[in-house]
Amino acid sequence: MADMVSLSSKPRPGNRRKRKALLPWLYVLPALLLTGFVIAIPTVGTLYISLTNWDGIRPPEFIGLQNFATLIQDVQFYKALKNNLIWLLLFCTIPVSFSLIVAVLLSRVRRGQMFYRVTFFLPYICSTVVTAKIWSWIYNPFFGINKVLEGWGFTNLPLWLGDPDKALFSVAFVDGWRYWGFLLILFLTGFHQTDRSLEEAAMIDGAGKLRIFWSVIIPQLRPTLLLIMMMTMIWSFAAFDYVYVMTGGGPGNATELIATYMYKEALQNQAPGYASSIALALALFSGIVIAVFGYLRKRGWEI
Amino acid sequence: MKRATKFFAVLLVSCSMIAATACGSADKGTGSANQGQIGDKQGVKEITWYLHTQYGKEYFENDVIKPFEEQHPDIKINVTYNADPEQITKSQLAAGAGPDIITTDGTTTLRQFAKAGYLVDLDEYSKKYGWDQRFIPWAYPPVTVGDKLIGLPGKYETELVYYNKKMFADNGWDIPKSYDELVALSKKMTEKGIIPFAFGASDYRGANEWWLSMAYNATLGPEKLKKVLSGELPWNGPESTEAVQKLVDLWKSGYINDKKSHAITGEDATTLFLSGKAAMKMEGSWLLNTLSSKAGDMDWGIFPMPSWKEGVETNLPLALGIAYGINANSKNPDAVAEFLNYVTQADVAAKGIVAMGLQPIKDLDLGAIPNLDKHYKEVSDLLADYGNRNATGYLSWTFWPAQTRVFSYDNLEAVFLDGMDIKSYMDKMEATYQEDKQSGKVFEFAK
């Protein structure tokens, strides 16, 4: 009997392995359940609704792929997509390169670095609506920056939010102004993980500052850089808040993005079914970005 | 399929509730909305009601709910304040839930709710409480579907021209009586460096429909506009095109906020008017509240927008800004009716004139309201006069079909800015109207 007890109480190596494998899943279970509830289930719901004609009031009517057929021919959707691609291009270049350059310069600052970090990061933690409102006042042609510039003798000043050719860039500038401080912090964190002795070695070998930047710093920052590029691309497709608050997609739909167009279709135009098909298209674009980076990772790129 | 529909509807409700609570914009007043859905406690009938965070909170809490609950200890009103109660109500009704009292901005959505079977038919209550005699005659058709009363009008709105009286007097300007006179006056103002009409829509593109509604009513007149709204005349016909063309001409001439209305907010435009940089402001009667509290010493007045076409009589376009209904799933429809009866009584409604706006209730004695700005009486008298003469038109947020309305205001700026030509705009509007007609969203006027 004693042998039996000792045998049964002694965990078998197989069970221990199973338990060990199960334990991490138990830890992440609450997060998984929450994610399932707020992301997976609504995603399935969106998939279903995109196949229906629904005004949000009467029961949805199943119409198959008709919403997607409409989407393919929707001129407004292509306008919004074009704006999103411009947005993506702007954000993947200007804030990224600017924050990288400032991060390199700031990493050389010995005294007061924290002050600069806090100052540059501050816009990122300010409320989007508040900063968007403040910038709307700055852009106001009757009370804002134009009035100041007119006082200094400037004429023919642009209508920042009112000119269809400039409005998207004006709003993107504000979002970029908020965003670059965040990227700066990420780059500075990346710098802390780089091997400074390599820079010293390169310097001893006679490399110039530019050469060190391209051949020593950038390769070491590649994981951070790729992560930033992936995040920026995905967020560029999901951009919504600044456009919604500052222009509402106008003037004349000049700043319409896919997300604002989706919002309008769902809530103003009473077409949640069609809006869901737009949402899926948006998810597809983000999915492509993730897939590309996944492929690069498989090819040995570090992310 | 039905199961799936139900599942996703419930899912949407869950999501909307999460959004409502997570965003922090929901502000609970006298209790939780969900409590009322659970049931009555100790014989007290709990009624749920969703209201806008933005306006009327003090009025509803102190002048409506508190005295009502004192008079009816067996009824408790649980209010949830939210930035967009209509949207939450919409998704909840689709899932077979929703608050007991259905409140909508205007009647377009309320009528859709009624057609979907979400509302209680109010005819019996109307007989019991005398609602069929309570409101001004104009207010009944928007809350009637078929022959049945499906809601009660909460407040009504018109559009007017607000003007700087002193500026007019100093410059010897007269109130225009026609489109030509309006254009001539605007020209004079522009030459003096004054913006004729202050207007801003960068924060709310929907504001463009105020001007569009006005253009249609002033150019076509109520009868022809009714034909357009009923589909008897096309939206891309010469009558409608003329209305839009006249509006575009005004805008392109710089008479509407110096061609910068799309670059400033509505609040900025009000500031331009109050600071004397603009001589007039065309807006809804809700502006009375702002001007009466913010204009200070400024001497301002109102006049109806003159007719934009010879042979068309000047009219006041109308809309219902708020309407109430009873949820068909309410456990206490009688208690809700009792409450709605209280809300729409002349003495109770009168207290809400400043906070909520003009109420389409007969026998409303504005003179009895202490410290009421004189302009409210002026507008009320105008409305009575135009109403008696049947010279009232149709504002878009009550009478225009949903998608046509959204298309019209969402693309008007593109026409202003030459991003879309008028013909394409009108053709697309007609196509959108036909879609609305097919989905039964067109307002059915009584024959």
Side-chain angles (χ1 to χ4, degrees), chain A residues 142, chain B residues 162 195-200 210-211 255-258 261 264-266 268-274 277-283 287:
Chain A
F142 295 98
Chain B
Y162 301 82
I195 300 168
F197 284 100
F199 177 60
W210 306 342
W211 270 103
Y255 301 153
I256 299 175
N257 219 93
D258 195 21
S261 62
I264 65 164
T265 64
D268 295 337
T270 304
T271 307
L272 287 176
F273 177 65
L274 291 175
K277 287 180 179 160
M280 299 179 281
K281 191 165 199 317
M282 196 291 294
E283 203 170 317
L287 193 67

Side-chain angles (χ1 to χ4, degrees), chain A residues 229-244:
Chain A
M229 291 302 268
M230 188 172 77
M231 276 185 345
T232 306
M233 283 183 184
I234 294 170
W235 287 351
S236 294
F237 277 117
F240 173 84
D241 41 11
Y242 278 96
V243 166
Y244 180 72

Side-chain angles (χ1 to χ4, degrees), chain B residues 30-192:
Chain B
T30 47
S32 158
N34 292 330
Q35 281 170 7
Q37 294 294 316
I38 293 164
D40 307 338
K41 289 172 187 169
Q42 296 165 346
V44 175
K45 297 178 188 98
E46 297 201 13
I47 291 171
T48 50
W49 195 15
Y50 296 169
L51 283 176
H52 271 284
T53 322
Q54 294 96 319
Y55 49 75
K57 188 174 178 180
E58 275 182 33
Y59 159 68
F60 283 119
E61 292 283 346
N62 300 329
D63 296 325
V64 180
I65 296 168
K66 201 175 160 196
F68 176 80
E69 287 181 343
E70 279 168 7
Q71 285 176 30
H72 302 82
D74 58 329
I75 301 174
K76 180 164 172 48
I77 311 295
N78 292 323
V79 184
T80 297
Y81 293 95
N82 190 278
D84 193 356
E86 189 175 300
Q87 201 55 47
I88 293 179
T89 302
K90 208 181 274 182
S91 45
Q92 291 189 343
L93 285 176
D100 295 289
I101 305 169
I102 306 295
T103 308
T104 56
D105 302 327
T107 54
T108 310
T109 315
L110 195 79
R111 293 172 69 82
Q112 285 177 288
F113 287 163
K115 286 177 191 171
Y118 297 148
L119 300 183
V120 170
D121 169 6
L122 302 183
D123 283 342
E124 285 302 314
Y125 293 119
S126 179
K127 274 183 215 157
K128 181 182 172 186
Y129 292 112
W131 290 343
D132 51 344
Q133 299 298 317
R134 183 169 296 179
F135 304 96
I136 57 172
W138 170 87
Y140 287 101
V143 287
T144 305
V145 171
D147 292 331
K148 296 188 184 311
L149 187 73
I150 53 96
L152 294 185
K155 70 163 176 175
Y156 74 147
E157 291 158 346
T158 185
E159 288 187 337
L160 300 152
V161 180
Y162 301 82
Y163 72 106
N164 187 326
K165 267 187 171 176
K166 188 176 180 302
M167 194 186 283
F168 268 59
D170 290 349
N171 290 284
W173 295 332
D174 293 322
I175 289 171
K177 298 275 182 262
S178 66
Y179 183 79
D180 290 340
E181 283 185 28
L182 182 74
V183 170
L185 175 66
S186 299
K187 193 165 182 281
K188 281 182 203 167
M189 290 170 172
T190 312
E191 283 164 3
K192 283 211 152 208

Side-chain angles (χ1 to χ4, degrees), chain B residues 216-252:
Chain B
Y216 267 84
N217 280 284
T219 311
L220 277 75
E223 279 315 305
K224 265 197 182 161
L225 178 53
K226 197 169 154 183
K227 285 183 180 172
V228 173
L229 292 167
S230 310
E232 289 174 50
L233 285 174
W235 284 77
N236 53 354
E239 301 85 359
S240 298
T241 308
E242 185 184 359
V244 176
Q245 184 65 63
K246 283 189 164 168
L247 174 59
V248 172
D249 289 347
L250 278 183
W251 196 89
K252 285 190 174 176

